[in-house]
């Protein structure tokens, strides 16, 4: 679907075990097994990819932004970040990042927050929270299982004063992150449909997810 994909010698398009095209504004989920590496690609650039992880064997264990930031000791996640669960365990490790700016403080957009931020006229617009609820429901979960998420490729500068604002994304077409799974995880994505702020360049676009087996698989 695009010419932007980059591959390493070990990982090529032909030896990927999963290759998913996620349309603009759509939800998505898949299981990534321990030892596998998942690549999440911002195929066209400036696209926020709202992301959650659950322990595939026990969904009550899931991503914790608070524990991840505390363990990482920084406000942003990038290469080397260990993705920590609410049980304090490492779910995945970020092993590559061609963009360098990903948020896990600003949360996901919802119809309700849209009306507060942008006016009642936008209430009907689709939002990440709807996407998450739709997608987790396929796995027997409900809205109470949707927790604060990672916003891959969303640019939320945090000022020295502590203020933070969603501004233009800096990701270029084909930028990606790679995460190596340390346990079997359910990956849940909302390809953010927001059109009222710059997180998607005011133009939501498709993204791509690829999975490779580990070297010792
Ligand atoms: Zn969103």
């Amino acid at each position: 679907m695009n010419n932007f994909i980059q591959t390493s010698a070990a990982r090529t398009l032909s030896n990927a075990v999963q290759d998913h095209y996620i349309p603009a504004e759509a939800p998505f989920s898949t299981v990534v097994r321990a030892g596998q590496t998942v690549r999440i690609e911002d195929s066209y650039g400036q696209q926020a990819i709202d992301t959650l992880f659950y322990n595939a064997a026990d969904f009550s264990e899931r991503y914790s932004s608070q524990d991840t930031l505390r363990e990482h000791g920084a406000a942003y996640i990038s290469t080397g970040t260990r993705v920590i669960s609410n049980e304090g365990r490492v779910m995945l490790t970020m092993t590559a990042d061609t963009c360098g700016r990903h948020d896990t403080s600003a949360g996901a957009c919802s119809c309700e927050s849209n009306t507060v931020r942008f006016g009642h006229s936008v209430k009907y617009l689709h939002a990440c929270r709807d996407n998450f609820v739709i997608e987790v429901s396929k796995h027997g979960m409900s809205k109470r299982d949707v927790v604060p998420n990672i916003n891959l490729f969303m640019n939320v500068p945090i000022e020295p004063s502590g203020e933070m604002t969603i501004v233009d994304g800096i990701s270029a077409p084909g930028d990606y992150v790679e995460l190596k799974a340390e346990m079997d995880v359910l990956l849940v994505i909302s390809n953010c449909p927001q059109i009222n702020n710059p997180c998607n360049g005011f133009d939501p676009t498709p993204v791509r997810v690829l999975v490779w087996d580990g070297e010792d698989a």
Side-chain angles (χ1 to χ4, degrees):
M1 87 176 199
N2 68 68
N3 300 316
F4 303 125
I5 191 82
Q6 300 171 44
T7 55
S8 67
R11 289 193 286 273
T12 66
L13 289 179
S14 60
N15 66 14
V17 295
Q18 295 186 44
D19 184 357
H20 304 279
Y21 169 87
I22 307 170
E25 308 188 6
F28 169 79
S29 63
T30 191
V31 171
V32 183
R33 299 290 174 193
Q36 290 183 326
T37 291
V38 58
R39 176 182 294 173
I40 302 171
E41 180 199 79
D42 182 358
S43 305
Y44 294 88
Q46 289 195 318
Q47 175 62 48
I49 305 175
D50 291 46
T51 303
L52 282 171
F53 296 103
Y54 300 82
N55 178 343
D58 176 4
F59 295 150
S60 70
E61 181 174 17
R62 68 274 304 263
Y63 175 66
S64 168
S65 59
Q66 194 171 33
D67 292 297
T68 297
L69 289 180
R70 190 195 63 243
E71 280 288 308
H72 187 47
Y76 305 107
I77 57 180
S78 187
T79 306
T81 298
R82 298 188 304 164
V83 174
I84 307 293
S85 76
N86 59 338
E87 306 278 343
R89 300 201 299 157
V90 181
M91 305 184 81
L92 311 96
T93 302
M94 190 173 283
T95 52
D97 175 12
T98 68
C99 172
R101 178 55 65 90
H102 312 281
D103 165 77
T104 189
S105 302
C109 61
S110 69
C111 295
E112 292 77 10
S113 65
N114 280 344
T115 64
V116 172
R117 296 155 80 191
F118 308 114
H120 197 69
S121 62
V122 303
K123 176 95 161 62
Y124 71 94
L125 292 174
H126 198 44
C128 282
R129 188 161 176 83
D130 293 340
N131 271 346
F132 278 143
V133 171
I134 289 167
E135 200 62 29
V136 301
S137 72
K138 298 174 184 173
H139 304 278
M141 293 185 277
S142 69
K143 59 184 179 183
R144 70 177 59 194
D145 298 296
V146 176
V147 294
N149 61 292
I150 297 174
N151 292 307
L152 295 170
F153 307 105
M154 191 162 96
N155 188 16
V156 186
I158 299 175
E159 306 296 336
S161 65
E163 287 181 70
M164 59 183 211
T165 317
I166 298 168
V167 299
D168 288 345
I170 60 172
S171 51
D175 270 345
Y176 63 84
V177 296
E178 290 181 346
L179 299 118
K180 183 180 181 189
E182 311 289 350
M183 63 171 69
D184 292 354
V185 294
L186 173 68
L187 161 68
V188 179
I189 280 175
S190 166
N191 192 9
C192 182
Q194 181 62 259
I195 54 172
N196 297 290
N197 73 34
C199 68
N200 303 317
F202 300 100
D203 180 23
T205 48
V207 301
R208 190 174 191 172
V209 170
L210 294 127
V211 178
W212 287 272
D213 283 333
E215 261 96 73
D216 51 355

